[in-house]
Amino acid sequence: MKKFGKVAVILTVILSIMLPCLAYAEGQVIDLPSAKVGQYYHQEKSVAEVLAGTEYADMAPYVEITGITLVSGEVPSGLEYSYTKSSVVFKGTPTKEGTYTFTVNAKGSIPLMGINQQVPVTCNMVVEEGDVVPTPTPTPTPKYEKPTFVTAPNPNYEVNSGGSVNVSVAAKCAEKCDFTLYIKNGSAWNALATIKGTNSCSFKPLELASKQNSVGTHAFKVVAANASDNTLSDEVTFNVKVVSTVTKPTSAVISGSSTYDAGKALNLSCSANGTDPTYTWYIKRTTDGSYQKLSATGKTLSFITEAGDHGAKIKCVVSNSAGSLESNEITLTVVTPHVHSYGAWTVSKASTCTAKGTETRSCSCGDVQSRSVEAKGHTNGTQWVIDQNATCTEAGEKSIRCTECNEKVQKMTIAATGHAFSEWKVVKEATEAEEGLEEKTCKNCNAKETQTIPKKSSTHIHAYGDWIVEKAATCTENGTKSRVCAECKEKQTTDILAEGHRFPADYTVIKDPTCTEKGQKAKKCAVCSALTSKEDIDALGHSLGSWKVVIQPTVEKEGLEEQRCTHAG
C-alpha cells in the first residue's frame, strides 16, 4: 500500500462580514479539522462559529454571506472554496502534502438594514498522509428544492364589511421557506408581509391591507421561497370580497325636556337603530299648516326658543339606504318668564371708612337683589397731632387722623432735636502735676460731654492765637480746628462738632399727587438739602363737574350724559 507524506496545511481565511459598527480583531484564528490526502474533505464554518466567543456573537443570525474571493497565499491542491448564505465551505480531495497559508475575503450583509462590509478572520488546517490514492469521487452540488404548496388559500372568500379573513398556507420543501403575501393594486403586485423560516403560517390579508371596510373584491397572492437560495414556488392567487350589510331603522325615540322658558336653549336628542342612519328634524308651529324642515342633521337638536314656539310639535325622521322611520312627536311648552319690578334700594349694612356696606331691594314676587356699597374712605383732619415727642437723640412722630374713625391717615417723623449744650465749665482745675477736667451739659436732657485741661507749666504759659478751622463740620460729620502758641509753637487741636441737619417744620412737596396716583413730600435740610420724613400724599381723586348731555334722547333711543374731572390734565 502506497503511503503519502504527512503534510501540515495552515489556512488563513479573511472573512468579511458586515455588521453594524462591527470589526473583527485583526489576526483572529479559526482552526479547521485536519484532512487526509486522497480522502474526500467537506467542512463548513458558519457565521455563528466565526463569531463565537466574540462580543458580536448575538448578531450572527442576521448576517448573510454574499461572496468570497482569494486575496493571497496558496489553496491546497485538490481543495476548493465556496459559500452559502450562512457559511464558508471548503471541500474536495487533497492531492498534495505540504503547509499552506492563504487568505480570502467573504463579503457579507444584513439584508434588513441594507448594509455591506468586510472583516478579517484567520483559519488553521492540517492535512495528514493518506493510505492510498483513491479515485476521486466528486460530491454533487446539492440542488435546492422548489417549494410546493400542500395547503393553499381558497380561490374566493366573502366577508361582511368590518370582518376578518384568516388564510393558512403550508409548503413542502427540504429546507425552511419564506412566505410572502401580495395585494394587487391596478396592474402591480405590492408586498404586504413576509414570514421567514417556516413550512407553514397564516395571514390576515384584510388587516394587512387596511381593507376591512372597503367594499369590493380584492386580489391577493402568496409565494413561497426556499430560505437557502430563494428558489420560488408557483404563485397561489385568491380573492376576498367585502360586502356591505345595511339594516333598516326600526326604532327612533326623541328624548329631552319639552318645557322651556322663552329665550332659553332647547335641547333634544333622537336615539335610533339601523346601520349609520341620517337624522332629519321637523317642526310644526301653531301658525304652520304643515311640518317645516329644520337645518339640524345630527342626532341632537338645539335652538333658542321664542314665545311663538309654544304648542309647536317636533319630530325626527331617521333613514338609510334600507329605509326610513319617523320618531315620536314632542309638543313644546314655552313659558314667558316673569319680569321683576323692584322697589327702591335700602341700606341693610352701612359702609364704614374701610369696609363696604350692603343695599337690598325686593320684587313683589319675593325675589330680593342685593348690591355692595363702596367704603366711604377716610375724611382727613386738618391739624397734626403729636403722637410721640422728639428727643435730643430720637425722632418723634405726628399724624393727621380721620375725623370719622380717628385712624391715622398720614404719619410724619419729627426729627431728633440734637443736644443744646451749655458753655464749658471747669469741674477740676489743672495743676502742674495733673490735668484738669471741664464739661458742658445739654439744657434739654442733661447729657454731658467732658474734655481734659492740660497740665500747667511751671516755666511757660502758652499764649495761643485764634482758632483756625482746618476741616469744616457738616450736618453729619465733625470738623477740626487748631491754634498755636505764639512763643513755643505748640499746636492745640480739637473737634468741631457736627451740628446735625436743620430740618424745617414744614414739608416740601417732591412729587405732586394726581387724581389717581399718590404724590410725595419730605423735610429738606436747609444746609445740605438731605431729605427726611418722606410721606405719601394721597391721590386727589376725581372732582367731577356737573352732568352734561352729550347725546339727546329720542323716542326710539336713550340719551347719554357725562361728568368730567375738573382737575387740570
Side-chain angles (χ1 to χ4, degrees), residues 529-547:
S529 298
L531 299 176
T532 188
S533 304
K534 291 183 180 180
E535 291 187 5
D536 287 337
I537 303 173
D538 287 342
L540 300 175
H542 291 300
S543 176
L544 298 178
S546 59
W547 289 99

Side-chain angles (χ1 to χ4, degrees), residues 132-243:
V132 295
V133 179
T135 300
T137 305
T139 301
T141 301
K143 181 179 180 182
Y144 292 103
E145 183 179 356
K146 175 180 179 179
T148 303
F149 280 99
V150 295
T151 300
N154 295 327
N156 295 290
Y157 295 86
E158 184 172 308
V159 64
N160 290 335
S161 176
S164 178
V165 173
N166 191 54
V167 175
S168 297
V169 293
K172 179 181 179 183
C173 183
E175 289 79 21
K176 298 293 185 182
C177 294
D178 297 339
F179 294 90
T180 302
L181 174 69
Y182 297 83
I183 185 172
K184 191 171 186 180
N185 288 322
S187 61
W189 289 96
N190 298 327
L192 292 177
T194 297
I195 299 177
K196 292 189 172 185
T198 183
N199 288 107
S200 63
C201 64
S202 62
F203 296 98
K204 291 186 176 181
L206 291 181
E207 282 82 344
L208 293 171
S210 300
K211 295 289 186 180
Q212 294 95 319
N213 295 310
S214 180
V215 176
T217 300
H218 309 285
F220 297 88
K221 72 177 180 180
V222 178
V223 178
N226 189 303
S228 297
D229 70 343
N230 205 39
T231 300
L232 299 178
S233 69
D234 295 330
E235 297 177 353
V236 176
T237 60
F238 63 96
N239 296 320
V240 178
K241 182 179 180 182
V242 180
V243 297

Side-chain angles (χ1 to χ4, degrees), residues 299-316:
K299 296 176 65 174
T300 60
L301 174 66
S302 180
F303 61 83
I304 302 300
T305 60
E306 299 176 355
D309 294 327
H310 180 69
K313 299 182 183 299
I314 293 178
K315 67 179 180 180
C316 183

